[in-house]
C-alpha cells in the first residue's frame, strides 16, 4: 500500500470517496488534480504537516492551494483565538487542561465553539476553487467546518483529515469527513473508537531531510552548531512557542549528568536568553535546520508529542516525554508509550536512568529505526484489513460457520486477483484501494458488438483510464498464436 501523504494515496482515496457517496453528485470521477489543504497557525505542528503534504503533492504535479482556518474566521477572530490559546498555555495552563478534559468527556466542543466554526462555513466555500477535487484538513476545527458542509450537501468533493497528534481528541473526529488519515495504528484505533468510519494508516508526513544520519553527518552537524564532539546530547524541544516548564527540565537535564542539554525554545527568545544566563550553554531560539540538530543529538526530550516526535522517529532518534504541557501533552505521551515508540518519564527520579538506557541501551537510534520500520509493516497490515472490510469481509461474522468460511475464501481470492489486476494495469493502480480498482477497472461501462465472427468491445470515448485498462487487457488476453506453416 502507498505511504501516507503520497499523491497516489490521495488520488486513490479521492476517486474511491467520489464513487461511493450517492448522496452528493461528484464533480468528476477521475482522480483529483487540485487538492486544497486547510490548516491553522496554532503552533507549528498543523502547519508543518500541511507544508509537507503541499510539497509532496506539488512535486507529483498536483495543483495545491493552502488556507489557514483562522484567516477564514470573521472580524480578526482568528488572531484572538490564537493569542488567547497562547496566553492560556503560558499563564494559566490549568485552564487549558480543564477545557481539554471537559471537551474530551463531552465528545467534542461546546455551543460557543460550534457557533464560532459555523461563521467560517460560507467563507470556506467561497475560498475553494471551482475545480477542487479533494480537501485535506490538518486541524480539528477545519475538519468540523468541512464535515458540516459535506453533511449539508454544500460540498461535493471528498474531505480527508490528517491526524497530526498521536492521541486523538474527540474534536478530531468530525461527522461528514470521508477519510481519517493516521500515522500509526494506535491513533487509528482511537479514531475508530470515537466513531470515525474510514480510517487509513500510513507513515508520518515529515520533511525528507529527517532521516538517520551517518557518523560523518553526525560529526559535521555537531561542528556546525558548535556542540561537543563526543559527549552525549539531549535535545530538549518545546514547540514553536517554547511553552511548558522548559527551564526546569533544562536544569534537571544538566544536573542529572546523563547528557549535555541542547534546548530549542522556538520563537521564545526571552527563554533562550534566560537559559544561557542559567548556564545552559547550548540554548537556541528558532532553528531552521532541525534535521541537522537531530542528527547531532543522541536523544530527544519533548513535552507535547506533536510533529517533532514524528520527525525524531523518522530520523532514528530515541524519544522521551517528560513534564508535558497540560491537555494534549499527557494524552500524546500516553499514546506514544502505548505504541512503544517513546518512553514516558513520570518521575523525576527516573530521568537519568531512562536517558542512559535510551542513549546507551537497547533503545538506541538503530533500534528506534528498526521499530519504526516494523510499525510501517503493521500499518500495511492495518491498511489491508481496513480495505478488506469494505468488500467481502463486511459480511463477517454471519453466524454460520460454513458461510464465514465461504466468505473468507472468496475474499482471499478476489483480493489477490484485484491486487494482481492493479499491478498489471499501472503503477497507480498497484497501490490503489479495492474500491478504486472496482471503480476504475471492473465496473466499466462498455458495449459488446459481434460482426463477421468478430467480437468488438466498445469502451467509453475519451476515457482517461483507457491506457491502464488496455494494458491490463493485453496482459491477460494474449493475441492468438499464428497458425503453423
Amino acid at each position: 500500500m502507498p505511504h501516507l501523504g503520497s499523491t497516489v494515496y490521495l488520488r486513490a482515496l479521492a476517486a474511491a470517496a467520489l464513487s461511493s457517496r450517492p448522496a452528493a453528485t461528484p464533480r468528476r470521477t477521475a482522480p483529483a488534480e487540485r487538492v486544497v489543504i486547510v490548516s491553522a497557525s496554532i503552533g507549528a505542528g498543523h502547519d508543518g504537516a500541511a507544508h509537507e503534504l503541499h510539497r509532496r503533492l506539488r512535486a507529483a504535479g498536483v495543483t495545491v492551494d493552502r488556507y489557514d482556518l483562522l484567516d477564514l474566521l470573521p472580524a480578526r477572530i482568528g488572531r484572538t483565538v490564537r493569542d488567547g490559546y497562547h496566553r492560556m498555555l503560558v499563564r494559566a495552563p490549568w485552564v487549558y487542561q480543564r477545557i481539554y478534559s471537559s471537551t474530551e468527556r463531552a465528545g467534542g466542543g461546546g455551543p460557543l465553539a460550534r457557533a464560532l466554526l459555523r461563521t467560517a462555513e460560507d467563507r470556506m466555500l467561497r475560498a475553494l476553487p471551482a475545480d477542487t477535487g479533494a480537501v485535506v484538513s490538518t486541524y480539528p476545527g477545519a475538519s468540523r467546518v468541512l464535515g458540516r458542509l459535506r453533511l449539508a450537501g454544500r460540498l461535493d468533493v471528498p474531505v480527508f483529515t490528517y491526524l497530526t497528534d498521536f492521541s486523538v481528541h474527540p474534536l478530531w473526529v468530525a461527522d461528514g469527513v470521508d477519510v481519517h488519515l493516521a500515522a500509526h495504528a494506535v491513533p487509528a484505533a482511537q479514531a475508530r473508537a470515537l466513531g470515525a468510519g474510514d480510517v487509513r494508516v500510513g507513515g508520518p508526513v515529515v520533511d525528507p531531510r529527517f532521516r538517520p544520519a551517518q557518523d560523518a553527518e553526525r560529526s559535521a552537524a555537531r561542528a556546525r552548531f558548535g556542540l561537543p564532539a563526543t559527549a552525549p546530547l539531549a535535545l530538549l524541544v518545546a514547540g514553536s512557542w517554547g511553552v511548558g516548564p522548559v527551564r526546569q527540565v533544562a536544569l534537571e537535564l544538566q544536573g542529572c549528568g546523563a547528557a549535555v542539554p541542547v534546548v530549542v525554545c522556538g520563537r521564545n527568545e526571552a527563554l533562550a536568553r534566560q537559559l544561557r544566563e542559567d548556564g545552559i550553554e547550548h540554548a537556541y531560539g528558532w532553528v531552521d535546520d532541525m534535521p541537522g540538530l537531530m542528527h547531532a543529538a543522541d536523544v530527544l526530550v519533548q513535552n507535547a508529542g506533536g510533529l517533532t516526535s514524528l520527525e525524531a522517529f523518522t530520523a532514528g532518534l530515541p524519544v522521551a516525554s517528560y513534564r508535558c504541557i497540560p491537555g494534549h501533552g499527557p494524552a500524546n505521551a500516553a499514546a506514544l508509550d502505548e505504541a512503544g515508540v517513546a518512553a514516558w518519564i513520570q518521575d523525576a527520579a527516573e530521568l537519568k536512568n531512562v536517558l542512559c538506557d535510551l542513549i546507551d541501551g537497547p533503545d538506541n537510534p538503530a533500534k528506534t529505526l528498526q521499530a519504526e520500520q516494523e510499525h510501517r509493516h503493521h500499518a500495511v497490515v492495518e491498511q489491508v484489513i481496513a480495505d478488506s472490510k469494505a468488500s467481502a469481509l463486511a459480511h463477517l461474522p454471519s453466524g454460520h460457520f460454513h458461510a464465514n468460511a465461504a466468505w473468507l475464501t472468496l475474499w482471499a481470492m478476489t483480493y489477490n486477483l484485484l491486487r494482481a489486476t492493479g499491478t498489471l494495469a499501472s503503477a497507480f493502480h498497484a497501490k490503489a484501494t479495492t474500491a478504486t480498482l472496482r471503480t476504475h477497472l471492473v465496473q466499466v461501462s462498455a458495449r459488446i458488438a459481434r460482426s463477421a465472427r468478430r467480437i468488438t468491445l466498445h469502451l467509453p470515448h475519451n476515457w482517461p483510464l483507457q491506457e491502464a485498462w488496455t494494458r491490463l487487457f493485453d496482459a491477460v488476453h494474449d493475441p492468438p498464436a499464428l497458425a503453423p506453416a
Side-chain angles (χ1 to χ4, degrees):
M1 288 294 175
H3 62 81
L4 187 65
S6 69
T7 309
V8 169
Y9 193 77
L10 282 176
R11 287 182 176 181
L13 291 180
L18 281 168
S19 63
S20 61
R21 277 187 170 268
T25 303
R27 296 177 182 173
R28 58 178 68 205
T29 56
E33 293 298 339
R34 179 185 291 274
V35 174
V36 174
I37 301 174
V38 185
S39 181
S41 53
I42 297 182
H46 305 291
D47 279 344
H51 177 77
E52 178 57 18
L53 282 171
H54 187 178
R55 186 197 66 79
R56 295 185 186 185
L57 290 169
R58 285 289 299 273
V62 179
T63 303
V64 183
D65 299 291
R66 281 183 59 185
Y67 296 101
D68 189 326
L69 176 67
L70 302 187
D71 295 335
L72 300 177
L73 295 174
R76 302 173 69 87
I77 293 177
R79 177 178 295 182
T80 302
V81 170
R82 179 177 57 241
D83 294 345
Y85 175 63
H86 186 198
R87 292 194 190 96
M88 185 164 50
L89 286 178
V90 173
R91 301 178 183 178
W94 59 272
V95 175
Y96 176 58
Q97 178 64 60
R98 178 168 295 183
I99 293 174
Y100 187 93
S101 300
S102 62
T103 53
E104 189 174 38
R105 289 192 299 269
L112 180 61
R114 289 194 294 269
L116 179 63
L117 293 175
R118 276 197 296 269
T119 63
E121 291 180 8
D122 291 337
R123 291 168 177 255
M124 179 75 77
L125 278 179
R126 289 195 297 268
L128 297 178
D131 60 342
T132 299
V135 186
V136 183
S137 165
T138 63
Y139 181 67
S143 298
R144 294 266 158 172
V145 172
L146 294 165
R148 280 180 54 85
L149 292 173
R150 282 290 272 156
L151 289 175
R154 301 175 67 191
L155 182 62
D156 60 359
V157 298
V159 173
F160 306 96
T161 291
Y162 173 63
L163 305 170
T164 60
D165 285 349
F166 226 78
S167 170
V168 182
H169 189 277
L171 285 172
W172 272 111
V173 179
D175 293 336
V177 171
D178 296 88
V179 181
H180 290 77
L181 311 173
H184 190 274
V186 168
Q190 293 184 4
R192 292 191 185 98
L194 291 171
D198 192 351
V199 184
R200 311 293 176 95
V201 184
V205 178
V206 298
D207 192 306
R209 295 179 299 162
F210 291 97
R211 53 177 177 75
Q214 303 298 324
D215 291 341
E217 293 176 301
R218 172 185 170 89
S219 300
R222 290 194 172 205
R224 191 163 61 250
F225 284 97
L227 300 171
T230 58
L233 303 180
L235 178 59
L236 173 60
V237 295
S240 63
W241 288 341
V243 295
V246 182
R247 186 182 181 190
Q248 178 185 358
V249 174
L251 294 174
E252 287 179 328
L253 287 173
Q254 187 179 54
C256 77
V260 176
V262 179
V263 189
V264 178
C265 303
R267 294 185 172 89
N268 194 342
E269 293 290 347
L271 174 61
R273 288 194 297 271
Q274 180 64 62
L275 289 173
R276 287 191 288 268
E277 292 174 2
D278 291 339
I280 305 297
E281 181 180 356
H282 308 290
Y284 305 93
W286 183 263
V287 175
D288 289 321
D289 186 18
M290 279 301 293
L293 206 50
M294 287 193 181
H295 291 163
D298 295 282
V299 64
L300 177 80
V301 180
Q302 60 85 30
N303 64 3
L307 181 64
T308 305
S309 298
L310 300 180
E311 293 169 343
F313 300 150
T314 309
L317 189 65
V319 178
S321 306
Y322 183 56
R323 296 199 184 278
C324 298
I325 61 174
H328 59 275
N332 282 333
L336 291 167
D337 184 64
E338 177 187 350
V341 295
W344 187 11
I345 306 173
Q346 302 184 63
D347 186 349
E350 300 176 355
L351 178 62
K352 181 176 181 178
N353 291 335
V354 173
L355 291 182
C356 289
D357 287 342
L358 291 175
I359 295 171
D360 302 320
D363 292 324
N364 53 32
K367 181 78 172 184
T368 303
L369 178 60
Q370 180 183 357
E372 196 270 341
Q373 292 172 342
E374 291 176 356
H375 285 297
R376 282 181 180 271
H377 176 70
H378 295 163
V380 172
V381 174
E382 184 81 14
Q383 180 72 31
V384 171
I385 293 173
D387 191 26
S388 303
K389 287 181 177 178
S391 57
L393 290 191
H395 297 274
L396 299 180
S398 67
H400 299 281
F401 177 82
H402 296 294
N404 289 337
W407 279 118
L408 187 61
T409 302
L410 289 172
W411 163 77
M413 294 170 59
T414 55
Y415 184 84
N416 290 330
L417 286 172
L418 280 173
R419 294 260 62 87
T421 298
T423 302
L424 292 172
S426 69
F428 164 75
H429 291 98
K431 300 179 180 181
T433 62
T434 299
T436 300
L437 293 176
R438 286 200 305 264
T439 303
H440 285 191
L441 304 176
V442 179
Q443 299 169 351
V444 179
S445 299
R447 180 171 59 86
I448 299 176
R450 293 177 175 84
S451 176
R453 297 184 179 181
R454 297 185 62 177
I455 299 176
T456 303
L457 183 64
H458 296 275
L459 296 172
H461 184 61
N462 292 330
W463 188 32
L465 300 171
Q466 175 181 346
E467 183 178 350
W469 195 92
T470 303
R471 187 183 297 112
L472 169 64
F473 185 86
D474 292 341
V476 298
H477 292 279
D478 292 332
L482 295 176

